[in-house]
Amino acid sequence: MRIPLTALLAGALASVLLAGTAHAATSSSSAPAFKAALAKNPIYKTGKLGYDTCDEQDVQSADVDEVRVYLEGVLDCLDAAWKPVVERAGFTFSKPTLRLITKPGAPTGCGDKFPAAAQAVYCSKNKRITYLVNSAVVQEPNDLMLMAVLAHEYGHHIQRLTGMFGALTPYKRKNIARVLDESRRLELQAECLAGTFIGSVWHSLGRKETDFTYITGSGGSGSVLSLLGIKGEDQAQQTHGSAKNIGAWLKRGYDTESAGGCNTFKAPKSQVS
């Protein structure tokens, strides 16, 4: 069974925890007030991404060398796409680094080891994406999941460059609801930013529309939580949102092709639950 959203969810969860940020929910139906770096960040006013061509390399299996060539090529596209946008928003751009591993447990640079449940993680301290190469991320030849996971982690890099990580509420025992709410908004925004990139370069990829709709959940991928063997109010959904909302924000970024469509910190609770 393919697990497109599972990989996104697991990778995103690990990336937030490894970035040193605890995260949570609000009882209000509307968005609570957030710091300007989160709710009024200049990145939201930069317009469409404006990068329309990314040449994908062929990937037939989870062979590390094949996957490395593919991911390094997509990473170059991500750098080229986001650099002018970050600078247009008034921030200094720097590239993230990429490390491929073949099994969990490797150090990430954020004081913890790569978790068994993740596909990829981003560490804000060293600005490095650590990516697990295994059969889960290449269930079929040229699986779009390779790009989607990398673009999601790159979304966290954009959040790091634009000061969002530093504006999150520090965890305290009494503010877990607030922290979890911010976590979901951060993760769903990274998902939306991934969609922004994919949507921007989509017509250059030569793919079928079903490659994308499968990931959003409209093509029968099933419940993320059930695929993970998770039921009820598990930490994964509390920190990352429901499968429905993950797919919705990914699609929103794809449709708008703009960071302006990804302001999850202005969204009502129903869209970030």
Side-chain angles (χ1 to χ4, degrees):
M1 177 183 290
R2 290 184 46 155
I3 49 172
L5 288 177
T6 303
L8 293 177
L9 184 71
L13 171 61
S15 67
V16 172
L17 296 179
L18 290 173
T21 308
H23 311 348
T26 173
S27 59
S28 173
S29 60
S30 60
F34 294 101
K35 292 181 180 178
L38 299 172
K40 299 180 180 180
N41 198 287
I43 196 77
Y44 302 140
K45 297 182 178 182
T46 53
K48 285 196 172 185
L49 198 58
Y51 187 84
D52 60 9
T53 303
C54 186
D55 296 324
E56 291 184 284
Q57 299 299 310
D58 188 54
V59 177
Q60 294 298 312
S61 68
D63 176 79
V64 175
D65 289 336
E66 261 191 309
V67 172
R68 183 186 303 280
V69 170
Y70 176 89
L71 290 178
E72 288 179 347
V74 173
L75 186 60
D76 286 343
C77 293
L78 285 160
D79 288 336
W82 284 109
K83 182 179 186 293
V85 176
V86 170
E87 292 178 343
R88 193 155 64 241
F91 299 100
T92 300
F93 179 82
S94 61
K95 298 179 180 180
T97 57
L98 176 66
R99 181 190 183 193
L100 270 57
I101 59 174
T102 57
K103 61 182 179 179
T108 65
C110 271
D112 207 341
K113 295 182 179 180
F114 192 99
Q119 194 72 58
V121 301
Y122 174 74
C123 175
S124 65
K125 292 182 179 179
N126 58 13
K127 293 185 285 189
R128 184 171 71 194
I129 297 169
T130 303
Y131 203 119
L132 175 64
V133 179
N134 60 10
S135 58
V137 79
V138 188
Q139 295 270 334
E140 299 174 1
N142 296 307
D143 201 324
L144 184 62
M145 278 303 298
L146 280 168
M147 176 182 288
V149 171
L150 183 62
H152 175 104
E153 300 306 329
Y154 203 99
H156 287 310
H157 183 59
I158 298 302
Q159 292 166 332
R160 161 71 168 78
L161 295 179
T162 56
M164 294 188 190
F165 278 12
L168 295 170
T169 302
Y171 169 73
K172 294 180 182 179
R173 187 178 297 274
K174 294 182 179 181
N175 70 350
I176 184 62
R178 170 81 174 191
V179 169
L180 287 174
D181 183 48
E182 289 182 5
S183 172
R184 289 196 300 274
R185 293 174 190 275
L186 193 79
E187 290 300 333
L188 292 168
Q189 182 177 84
E191 195 71 11
C192 183
L193 294 174
T196 295
F197 172 77
I198 295 171
S200 183
V201 302
W202 183 255
H203 293 294
S204 73
L205 303 181
R207 288 180 172 273
K208 296 179 180 179
E209 193 69 24
T210 51
D211 287 353
F212 182 75
T213 57
Y214 195 91
I215 295 179
T216 65
S218 61
S221 64
S223 167
V224 174
L225 300 182
S226 65
L227 288 173
L228 286 172
I230 294 169
K231 298 179 180 180
E233 292 295 318
D234 183 88
Q235 183 188 40
Q237 183 166 355
Q238 289 183 34
T239 57
H240 289 70
S242 67
K244 177 182 178 181
N245 282 334
I246 292 170
W249 282 102
L250 183 65
K251 182 66 162 57
R252 182 176 175 86
Y254 177 89
D255 289 340
T256 63
E257 299 180 23
S258 168
C262 299
N263 190 350
T264 55
F265 292 93
K266 286 288 189 180
K269 177 184 175 181
S270 61
Q271 295 178 11
V272 294
S273 60

